[in-house]
């Protein structure tokens, strides 16, 4: 197996032993990226920069200088993270060609860790979408089946890892935007606890929900990448002061005796049969590892979608107000100031972004605030309590990540509600701010497409999440090297 | 005061005061006035994608001191909210402010309006927020275009919302002057109306005397001096009274004071669309001001102008006029008190020192905001007044010495010595001079003794001439009276 198809943890070791140079790895990723099948994955792809970063790491190693924990490891970045040496568009026309003057904290930490950047990855515009069809720069194809969506909004981040274009990627998850595309592309995707990773430099969609997380082929790789970017940042007031444990070491610990809760609500209507079958098989495997699996009730699950779409749109209507044509990005002239604002935002934003700005503006308006936003915040508390109560009985909550496998392009674009329901199982943990991971569970019996198992643990207990995910990964028929058609 | 009409004006003021923090409220950029445009900016105050606010602790400290000095309660947990509107000087499309949970409420201010009775007026609330940038028009380099300077964006502000307790222009002026003197004494604001670090919006309406309900109000903008407040309100009250007399109604709106033409002009309707869509800012946790924090700020409160004035008048016996003048600026008060410390509790000295400061020193003193520049240091002045108190020099000589040392680092004492100015009080030395004069002018001495008492002046003048004015006139008088008896 080529190095690019191995775990970050193994590649790190190979680099450290000098079995491969950063430059060789970089060249390997560039060779794969050159394949036209992967067009659309990147929004900014600069081979010269990637090679220069790799050469710098090799030079440092040759001079015997101390190297960071990801020295020479190729890493891709979702285009919602600002980077001082590459365009950042968030998949939007309104930021076409925009070059930020600074690095996001997560990006700066990867730089400090001597990672090699392989490019900025395509996404739904401003992270709003579940299929990557909302990018202003065209869709991303699912590497398992190019006629299907990769999921979203971090579609490029998931597809890049699945296709082996890079070893790991950063994505962002607001309502499932890491876990869902990870499931649909058959890779591991982690959304840590809200506050774990600094949001400084993450272009905000919904500030109280947005969280940076990681994609990798395997659980240990995703854990290693997260270790590097997590940790308190004084520039983000919502970032928490919590030590970052050694999550890679948490992988491999025993899971015998762990109590796992499966919300009855997650196995109800709307679940595709092959997803249900794959999840039931996964639960059986977990029992085989010595875990107990018990049904639990999460009665407010059914309010997740409506609650989320009130809160997230309210915040987005405010967060996206800064794209006004005045200081940066697109400006379309108008006869006066108001006309310029209108023309700029009309030309710059796509239909889904406009829909959410309108919805969010509406729910925050005088006279409607209490009925929508204030009420949604109350329901959010109830959803959080569902989890609090559940974690009194169980150590982790498991279930399907997505109700369906990857669907064909265009299937849900006409009906926003159908699209929103794709996030039904990921939204509750987002609203509660809890850590969640999607691990490949199987190839669907009917479609042969990946199905993901979601594991949610209490706040700041990513260690248990990684332990359980890693143990399951070892027995999962969906594990990368067992399931990937070209493996 | 204008004669009361059947209509009573109701005035409420909203004051925006910039806090004198070193850096902005949500980023590390320096706060500055008059710097090159867009030089004190960063991703946060430019509202660049991805940037996040972090509250400046000293803004919260100054805000709490302001609240405490105005008798407000401090909320243990207050919330920052986003106030949304589009304007080019507002980089994020929303202002971070406070809405339904401000950090402070229920205060008051004691005012003494000119020609009126002292009284207490209410302060509804104080909240903390960020300032916007400035749109500039008519800049020479870019003719015909509007440009934006974002240096000011993110400067911390407290908005102090007053109750509609004011009943005339004099009340409004007294309120603003008093509020400004407190903020300046606290060191949290430089009180500069012209440069916009202390700004006020005026809300005014009229109602028939004896009735309860308020009339439709107008807001007056562009009030940037106390004179504008006085004139603008007088004009607007007369205008509103006239409309009321004629039974004319109008919609709530905003007007602008045109000082040149001496009138207010219509600016814009208060639209129904004035919907700022406030909601809690998800980027900022609640502002927690616990008891320890508030107590620490309370402990740092300086003596406020009222208390200082009271101490000067009732403890040291200074006239109200003197006390007002000497506490008109906190630095002038501090300066005066440094002088007083050289003779603590000495009311007579305090009055002499006050006279000297008011007649000599203040004439050459300049103030700019919180900064005051004195023509003489307090230690020089202590030394100078000490020479007078010791009888070394006369009060008249003190003015000459002051003139010689002001603006220099000369020591008054050394100066007096080097100029041989020391006043001669040595009785035996003066007696020799006096006796000599009497001996040389027997005619005049006889005339005096014969009852021509005004001849005493001749001898005093002679002694003064001989001592080049340095003789202590009291001692000279005493000696001459004895020798001529």
């Amino acid at each position: 197996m080529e190095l690019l198809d191995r775990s970050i943890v193994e590649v790190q070791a190979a680099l450290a032993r000098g079995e491969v140079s950063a430059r060789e790895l970089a060249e390997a990723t560039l060779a794969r990226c050159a394949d036209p099948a992967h067009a659309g994955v990147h929004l900014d792809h600069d081979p010269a920069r990637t090679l220069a970063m790799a050469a710098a790491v090799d030079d440092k190693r040759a001079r015997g200088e101390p190297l960071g924990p990801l020295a020479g490891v190729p890493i891709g970045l979702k285009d919602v993270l600002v980077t001082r040496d590459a365009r950042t568009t968030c998949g939007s026309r309104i930021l076409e060609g925009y070059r930020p003057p600074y690095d996001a904290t997560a990006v700066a930490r990867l730089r400090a860790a001597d990672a090699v950047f392989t490019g900025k990855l395509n996404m739904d515009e401003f992270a709003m979408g579940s299929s990557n069809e909302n990018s202003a720069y065209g869709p991303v194809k699912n590497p398992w089946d190019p006629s299907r969506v990769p999921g979203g909004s971090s579609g490029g981040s998931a597809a890049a890892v699945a296709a082996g274009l890079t070893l790991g990627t950063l994505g962002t998850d607001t309502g499932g935007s890491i876990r869902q595309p990870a499931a649909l592309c058959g890779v591991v995707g982690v959304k840590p606890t809200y506050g774990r990773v600094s949001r400084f430099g993450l272009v905000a969609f919904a500030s109280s929900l947005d969280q940076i997380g990681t994609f990798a082929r395997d659980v240990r790789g995703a854990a290693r990448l997260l270790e590097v970017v997590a940790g308190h940042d004084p520039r983000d007031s919502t970032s928490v002061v919590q030590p970052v444990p050694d999550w890679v070491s948490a992988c491999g610990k025993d899971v015998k005796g762990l109590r796992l809760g499966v919300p009855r609500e997650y196995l109800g209507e709307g679940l595709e049969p092959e997803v249900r079958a794959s999840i039931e098989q996964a639960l059986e495997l977990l029992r085989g590892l010595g875990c107990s699996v018990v049904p639990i009730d999460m009665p407010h699950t059914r309010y997740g979608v409506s609650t989320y779409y009130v809160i997230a749109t309210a915040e987005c209507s405010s967060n996206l107000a800064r794209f006004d044509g005045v200081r940066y990005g697109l400006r379309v002239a108008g006869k006066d100031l108001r006309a310029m604002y209108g023309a700029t935002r009309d030309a710059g934003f796509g239909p889904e972004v406009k829909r959410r700005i309108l919805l969010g503006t509406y729910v925050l308006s005088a006279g409607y605030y209490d009925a929508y936003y204030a009420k949604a915040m109350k329901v959010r508390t109830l959803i959080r309590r569902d989890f609090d109560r559940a974690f009194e009985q169980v150590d982790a909550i498991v279930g399907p990540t997505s109700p369906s496998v990857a669907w064909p392009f265009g299937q849900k674009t006409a009906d926003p509600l159908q699209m929103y329901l794709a996030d039904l199982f990921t939204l509750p943990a987002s609203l509660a701010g809890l850590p969640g991971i999607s691990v490949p569970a199987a190839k669907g019996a009917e479609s042969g497409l990946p199905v993901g198992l979601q594991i949610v643990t209490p706040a700041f207990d990513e260690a248990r999440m990684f332990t359980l995910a890693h143990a399951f990964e070892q027995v999962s028929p969906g594990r990368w090297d067992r399931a990937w058609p070209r493996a | 005061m204008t004669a009361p009409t059947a209509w009573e004006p109701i005035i409420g003021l909203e004051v925006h005061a910039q806090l004198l923090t070193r850096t902005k409220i949500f980023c590390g950029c320096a706060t500055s006035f008059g710097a090159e445009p867009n030089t004190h900016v960063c991703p946060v105050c430019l509202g660049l994608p991805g940037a996040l606010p972090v509250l400046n602790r000293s803004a919260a400290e100054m805000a709490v001191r302001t609240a405490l000095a105005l008798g407000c309660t401090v909320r243990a947990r207050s919330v920052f909210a986003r106030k949304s509107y589009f304007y080019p000087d507002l980089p994020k499309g929303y202002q971070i402010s406070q809405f339904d949970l401000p950090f402070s409420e229920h205060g008051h201010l004691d005012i003494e309006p000119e020609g009126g009775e002292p009284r207490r007026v209410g302060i509804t609330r104080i909240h903390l927020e960020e300032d916007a940038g400035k749109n500039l028009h008519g800049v020479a380099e870019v003719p015909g275009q509007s440009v934006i300077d974002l240096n000011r964006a993110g400067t911390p502000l407290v908005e102090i919302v007053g109750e509609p307790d004011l009943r005339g222009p004099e009340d409004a002026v007294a309120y603003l002057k008093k509020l400004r003197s407190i903020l300046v004494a606290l060191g949290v604001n430089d009180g500069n109306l012209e440069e916009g670090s202390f700004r006020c919006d005026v809300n005014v309406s009229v109602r028939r005397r004896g009735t309860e309900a308020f009339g439709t109000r107008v807001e007056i903008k562009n009030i940037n001096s106390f004179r504008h407040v006085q004139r603008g309100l007088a004009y607007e009250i007369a205008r509103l009274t006239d409309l009321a007399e004629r039974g004319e109604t109008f919609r709530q709106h905003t007007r602008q004071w045109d000082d040149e033409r001496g009138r207010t002009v219509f600016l814009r309707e208060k639209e129904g669309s004035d919907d700022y869509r406030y909601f809690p800012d998800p980027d900022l946790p609640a502002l927690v001001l616990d008891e320890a924090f508030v107590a620490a700020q309370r402990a740092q409160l300086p003596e406020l102008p009222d208390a200082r004035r009271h101490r000067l008048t009732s403890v040291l016996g200074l006239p109200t006029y003197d006390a007002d003048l000497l506490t008109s600026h906190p630095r002038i008060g501090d300066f005066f008190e440094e002088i007083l410390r050289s003779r603590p509790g000495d009311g007579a000295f305090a009055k002499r020192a006050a006279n000297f400061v008011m007649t000599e020193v203040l004439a050459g003193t300049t103030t700019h905001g919180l900064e005051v520049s004195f023509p003489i240091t307090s230690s020089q002045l202590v030394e100078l007044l000490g020479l007078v108190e010791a009888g070394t020099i006369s009060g008249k000589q003190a003015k000459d010495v002051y003139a010689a040392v002001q603006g220099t680092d000369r020591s008054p004492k050394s100066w007096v010595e080097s100029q041989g100015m020391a006043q001669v009080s040595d009785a035996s030395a003066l007696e020799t001079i006096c006796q000599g004069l009497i001996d040389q002018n027997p005619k005049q001495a006889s005339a005096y003794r014969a009852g021509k008492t005004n001849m005493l002046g001749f001898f005093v003048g002679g002694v003064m001439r001989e001592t080049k004015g340095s003789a202590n006139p009291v001692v000279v008088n005493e000696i001459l009276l004895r020798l001529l008896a």
Side-chain angles (χ1 to χ4, degrees):
Chain A
M1 188 187 269
E2 282 186 48
L3 266 177
L4 267 186
D5 295 318
R6 292 184 180 275
S7 168
I8 288 173
V9 179
E10 292 167 33
V11 174
Q12 275 182 303
L15 279 159
R17 287 193 301 265
E19 291 166 18
V20 63
S21 71
R23 193 182 168 86
E24 284 165 337
L25 264 178
E27 281 166 351
T29 68
L30 293 173
R32 285 194 180 178
C33 289
D35 182 343
H38 306 308
V41 170
H42 287 97
L43 292 180
D44 184 284
H45 183 58
D46 180 353
R49 184 183 55 228
T50 301
L51 289 173
M53 288 180 87
V57 172
D58 287 337
D59 289 350
K60 267 173 111 173
R61 200 187 295 278
R63 289 195 300 267
E65 288 175 30
L67 287 165
L70 290 176
V73 178
I75 300 292
L77 306 167
K78 186 177 182 180
D79 203 34
V80 75
L81 302 170
V82 304
T83 42
R84 59 175 155 75
D85 54 2
R87 290 189 299 267
T88 300
T89 67
C90 302
S92 182
R93 286 276 169 232
I94 211 155
L95 280 177
E96 191 160 5
Y98 173 65
R99 298 188 85 93
Y102 72 106
D103 274 338
T105 297
V107 173
R109 288 185 178 174
L110 287 178
R111 249 189 241 285
D114 291 313
V116 171
F117 293 157
T118 52
K120 303 296 289 288
L121 297 156
N122 203 347
M123 57 185 280
D124 282 303
E125 184 176 5
F126 287 109
M128 299 179 199
S130 306
S131 67
N132 218 110
E133 290 167 294
N134 296 335
S135 169
Y137 304 97
V140 173
K141 293 172 204 151
N142 191 313
W144 293 68
D145 177 350
S147 71
R148 290 173 188 262
V149 302
S153 68
S154 310
S157 298
V161 169
L165 307 183
T166 192
L167 278 174
T169 56
L170 294 189
T172 61
D173 190 315
T174 305
S177 280
I178 287 175
R179 290 160 286 161
Q180 185 258 17
L184 268 49
C185 288
V187 297
V188 175
V190 183
K191 180 202 96 80
T193 311
Y194 183 80
R196 259 297 184 199
V197 182
S198 168
R199 292 186 298 113
F200 190 77
L202 152 58
V203 181
F205 156 22
S207 313
S208 74
L209 295 155
D210 293 344
Q211 191 57 204
I212 294 172
T214 60
F215 288 92
R217 295 292 182 48
D218 66 333
V219 174
R220 288 197 306 161
R224 171 55 42 85
L225 191 49
L226 191 64
E227 284 171 10
V228 172
V229 296
H232 178 247
D233 176 12
R235 288 184 299 181
D236 173 4
S237 308
T238 62
S239 132
V240 295
V241 183
Q242 279 269 347
V244 175
D246 181 345
W247 285 318
V248 174
S249 297
C251 299
K253 293 215 168 107
D254 198 8
V255 297
K256 201 165 286 172
L258 282 185
R259 298 161 304 165
L260 310 180
V262 182
R264 286 182 232 272
E265 294 78 5
Y266 288 21
L267 294 176
E269 275 173 61
L271 194 63
E272 279 182 1
E274 62 175 331
V275 174
R276 182 191 304 277
S278 298
I279 295 304
E280 279 168 358
Q281 180 191 36
L283 297 177
E284 214 39 62
L285 290 168
L286 285 165
R287 282 196 194 93
L289 293 171
C291 300
S292 60
V293 178
V294 296
I296 55 168
D297 291 307
M298 302 284 283
H300 297 94
T301 301
R302 63 199 176 102
Y303 302 113
V305 173
S306 42
T307 302
Y308 174 84
Y309 278 93
V310 170
I311 294 170
T313 58
E315 294 181 11
C316 102
S317 72
S318 167
N319 285 329
L320 270 57
R322 68 188 63 196
F323 303 104
D324 58 4
V326 174
R327 293 164 314 282
Y328 45 76
L330 182 72
R331 177 190 291 179
V332 179
K335 65 174 165 41
D336 57 20
L337 184 63
R338 288 186 78 90
M340 185 280 281
Y341 284 149
T344 299
R345 291 166 67 83
D346 186 39
F349 292 137
E352 182 60 26
V353 171
K354 285 178 190 163
R355 182 180 297 123
R356 295 196 193 188
I357 289 173
L358 285 174
L359 189 55
T361 303
Y362 176 77
V363 301
L364 288 178
S365 298
Y368 298 98
Y369 182 90
D370 289 337
Y372 293 105
Y373 190 78
K375 184 169 258 175
M377 291 303 272
K378 286 179 190 158
V379 179
R380 185 175 187 174
T381 304
L382 295 177
I383 290 172
R384 213 174 265 143
R385 286 196 196 139
D386 275 1
F387 281 101
D388 291 344
R389 266 193 288 272
F391 287 127
E392 286 167 12
Q393 310 163 39
V394 298
D395 300 306
I397 294 168
V398 296
T401 306
S402 160
S404 67
V405 296
W407 58 88
F409 283 107
Q411 192 186 69
K412 297 185 182 183
T413 42
D415 184 352
L417 194 57
Q418 273 307 306
M419 193 73 93
Y420 296 172
L421 286 169
D423 295 331
L424 187 62
F425 303 140
T426 49
L427 292 175
S430 291
L431 288 164
L434 303 177
I437 188 169
S438 181
V439 196
K443 277 206 258 196
E446 221 171 291
S447 62
L449 292 168
V451 172
L453 176 78
Q454 178 178 235
I455 301 168
V456 175
T457 52
F460 302 106
D461 200 356
E462 285 88 353
R464 190 187 300 170
M465 175 187 80
F466 282 123
T467 299
L468 189 59
H470 179 262
F472 172 69
E473 180 184 47
Q474 304 320 304
V475 296
S476 169
R479 192 173 89 171
W480 173 257
D481 47 4
R482 294 180 189 129
W484 176 239
R486 280 175 274 158
Chain B
M1 287 284 276
T2 42
T5 66
W7 299 90
E8 176 184 43
I10 306 290
I11 300 161
L13 302 176
E14 286 168 18
V15 169
H16 287 87
Q18 286 181 353
L19 296 177
L20 287 170
T21 50
R22 205 172 46 77
T23 55
K24 294 185 180 181
I25 184 166
F26 295 122
C27 65
C29 290
T31 52
S32 66
F33 180 81
E36 273 292 296
N38 300 309
T39 52
H40 294 293
V41 292
C42 73
V44 176
C45 57
L46 287 174
L48 294 191
L52 294 172
V54 176
L55 180 65
N56 177 347
R57 185 185 175 92
S58 71
E61 291 171 349
M62 288 189 183
V64 167
R65 292 208 288 278
T66 304
L68 294 175
L70 296 173
C72 291
T73 57
V74 174
R75 197 186 289 274
R77 190 176 173 282
S78 65
V79 170
F80 285 104
R82 294 182 180 180
K83 178 183 182 180
S84 294
Y85 62 95
F86 284 101
Y87 205 57
D89 67 9
L90 190 69
K92 298 185 295 296
Y94 59 84
Q95 177 193 28
I96 303 176
S97 180
Q98 296 194 299
F99 181 51
D100 52 347
L101 296 170
F103 81 92
S104 172
E105 291 171 294
H106 313 308
H108 54 77
L109 195 63
D110 294 317
I111 62 167
E112 292 151 49
E114 216 173 306
E117 287 298 304
R119 64 176 210 280
R120 174 165 286 192
V121 296
I123 287 172
T124 315
R125 57 182 275 164
I126 307 177
H127 63 257
L128 195 52
E129 61 185 24
E130 59 179 344
D131 209 344
K134 266 184 189 163
N135 293 346
L136 307 171
H137 316 284
V139 174
E141 293 92 321
V142 280
Q145 291 184 43
S146 294
V147 288
I148 306 158
D149 177 7
L150 292 172
N151 280 349
R152 197 180 71 174
T155 301
L157 291 177
V158 279
E159 179 174 338
I160 302 164
V161 182
E163 290 284 314
D165 287 350
L166 308 170
R167 296 292 176 264
E170 296 77 15
D171 284 4
V173 171
Y175 175 93
L176 289 172
K177 284 192 170 165
K178 188 59 171 291
L179 181 57
R180 185 175 79 154
S181 74
I182 290 173
L183 298 187
V184 170
L186 290 171
V188 301
N189 177 260
D190 66 15
N192 199 322
L193 276 75
E194 291 75 19
E195 288 174 7
S197 48
F198 182 94
R199 309 195 282 270
C200 87
D201 295 333
V202 178
N203 287 292
V204 56
S205 63
V206 298
R207 71 176 171 197
R208 190 174 283 283
R209 263 175 224 287
T211 60
E212 285 289 317
F214 292 160
T216 309
R217 74 179 177 195
V218 297
E219 182 177 343
I220 314 174
K221 297 251 180 210
N222 195 33
I223 297 253
N224 52 17
S225 76
F226 292 132
R227 198 175 133 270
H228 290 180
V229 175
Q230 173 80 37
R231 293 186 69 208
L233 266 173
Y235 175 89
E236 191 56 26
I237 290 165
R239 197 186 69 85
L240 290 174
T241 302
D242 186 49
L243 287 176
E245 288 282 356
R246 289 189 279 126
E248 281 186 37
T249 58
F250 56 88
R251 291 222 296 226
Q252 194 181 328
H253 64 283
T254 302
R255 304 180 71 82
Q256 177 157 333
W257 172 244
D258 180 339
D259 197 51
E260 247 166 62
R261 290 154 69 199
R263 50 179 291 198
T264 62
V265 289
F266 178 87
L267 190 65
R268 60 173 175 262
E269 284 278 331
K270 280 263 178 204
E271 295 165 40
S273 69
D274 248 12
D275 180 358
Y276 293 117
R277 304 191 307 279
Y278 282 102
F279 79 108
D281 191 330
D283 288 332
L284 287 162
L287 174 58
V288 175
L289 302 167
D290 59 23
E291 276 176 39
F293 183 90
V294 174
Q297 297 314 308
R298 196 184 295 280
Q300 282 184 45
L301 288 181
E303 186 181 38
L304 294 175
D306 272 357
R308 179 175 253 179
R309 193 158 45 242
H310 181 256
R311 192 162 46 78
L312 293 184
T313 51
S314 48
V315 181
L316 287 168
L318 289 185
T320 313
Y321 175 83
D322 296 20
D324 282 348
L325 200 56
L326 292 166
T327 57
S328 61
H329 192 289
R331 295 292 91 74
I332 293 173
D334 295 345
F335 180 88
F336 181 60
E337 298 217 38
E338 283 162 34
I339 311 301
L340 294 186
R341 266 197 287 280
S342 64
R343 295 175 82 91
D346 184 342
F349 170 71
K351 178 58 188 153
R352 288 193 292 274
N355 286 346
F356 197 89
V357 170
M358 291 189 298
T359 55
E360 305 299 319
V361 181
L362 289 187
T365 298
T366 54
T367 61
H368 182 87
L370 273 197
E371 283 160 39
V372 174
S373 119
F374 294 100
I376 186 169
T377 67
S378 57
S379 52
Q380 282 175 308
L381 190 57
V382 164
E383 197 176 305
L384 175 57
L385 294 178
L387 292 169
V388 179
E389 294 300 312
T392 311
I393 57 172
S394 67
K396 185 184 167 304
Q397 283 177 308
K399 295 187 180 187
D400 297 335
V401 178
Y402 174 75
V405 301
Q406 69 161 317
T408 74
D409 55 3
R410 284 177 191 144
S411 145
K413 202 170 177 183
S414 316
W415 176 257
V416 164
E417 280 164 13
S418 71
Q419 301 298 303
M421 283 175 82
Q423 172 174 269
V424 182
S425 302
D426 179 344
S428 64
L430 288 176
E431 191 159 339
T432 314
I433 296 169
C434 290
Q435 192 60 61
L437 266 176
I438 292 168
D439 294 346
Q440 286 157 30
N441 300 285
K443 259 191 217 159
Q444 284 80 355
S446 306
Y448 176 84
R449 287 184 180 118
K452 244 185 141 184
T453 50
N454 59 1
M455 283 314 286
L456 187 66
F458 166 82
F459 289 105
V460 173
V463 177
M464 286 304 178
R465 244 190 325 278
E466 250 179 65
T467 60
K468 295 194 179 96
S470 67
N472 185 330
V474 178
V475 180
V476 171
N477 253 327
E478 236 171 61
I479 294 169
L480 284 171
L481 285 174
R482 182 158 45 77
L483 293 179
L484 289 169

